[in-house]
Amino acid sequence: QVQLVESGGGLVQAGGSLRLSCVASGRTFSSYGMGWFRQAPGKEREFVAGIRRSADNTYYANSVRGRFTISRDNAKNTVYLQMNSLKPEDTAIYYCAAGRDQNAYSARWYDYWGQGTQVTVSS
C-alpha cells in the first residue's frame, strides 16, 4: 500500500513557474514507476509526465515536453514536477500516481493516486 500526498500548487501568471512535490509513504517507493496526471474542469484526466523507478527514463505528453521536468528522489520518497513557461491551458488539478515500472501513459496502469493539488494559471 502506498499513500501519496501532493503539494506545491497555486496561482501563477502565464509564463511563470511552479514546482509540485509528491511524497509517498511506505518503504517500496523506489520500486514504483511514478506519473503526473492532470484534470481540467469538464475534461478527462490526462497524462502529463512519467518517470521510471531508476529515474533514467522520463517521458512526457507532447503538450508539456520542453516546459515540464519530472524527477524523483528515492531517498526522500518524493517525485517532483517542475513546471516552467506555464500557460492558462495548464490550469487543472494535478495528481501524482504510482504504478508498475514501465512507460505508462494511461491512468489504468497506475494503482495508487494522491488527492491532487490545484494549479491555476492566469492570463
Side-chain angles (χ1 to χ4, degrees), residues 2-9 19-25 29 34-36 70-74 76-81 94-98 112-117:
V2 176
Q3 292 184 325
L4 304 172
V5 179
E6 304 96 335
S7 62
R19 188 195 196 201
L20 305 183
S21 299
C22 173
V23 179
S25 65
F29 171 78
M34 300 296 297
W36 285 96
I70 188 171
S71 62
R72 68 189 296 165
D73 185 339
N74 287 338
K76 296 182 178 181
N77 279 14
T78 302
V79 62
Y80 304 97
L81 186 67
Y94 283 71
Y95 300 88
C96 72
Y112 304 102
W113 293 83
Q115 293 300 306
T117 185

Side-chain angles (χ1 to χ4, degrees), residues 75-90:
K76 296 182 178 181
N77 279 14
T78 302
V79 62
Y80 304 97
L81 186 67
Q82 177 66 45
M83 305 186 295
N84 299 329
S85 302
L86 282 161
K87 305 175 181 180
E89 52 263 42
D90 293 319

Side-chain angles (χ1 to χ4, degrees), residues 44-65:
E44 293 187 354
R45 190 170 298 190
E46 65 174 0
F47 170 79
V48 175
I51 187 167
R52 301 289 292 269
R53 64 179 184 177
S54 63
D56 61 351
N57 185 338
T58 59
Y59 47 104
Y60 299 90
N62 289 335
S63 59
V64 306
R65 186 175 290 110

Side-chain angles (χ1 to χ4, degrees), residues 25-45:
S25 65
R27 296 176 292 177
T28 59
F29 171 78
S30 61
S31 67
Y32 289 98
M34 300 296 297
W36 285 96
F37 287 74
R38 66 187 182 187
Q39 188 167 17
K43 295 187 177 181
E44 293 187 354
R45 190 170 298 190

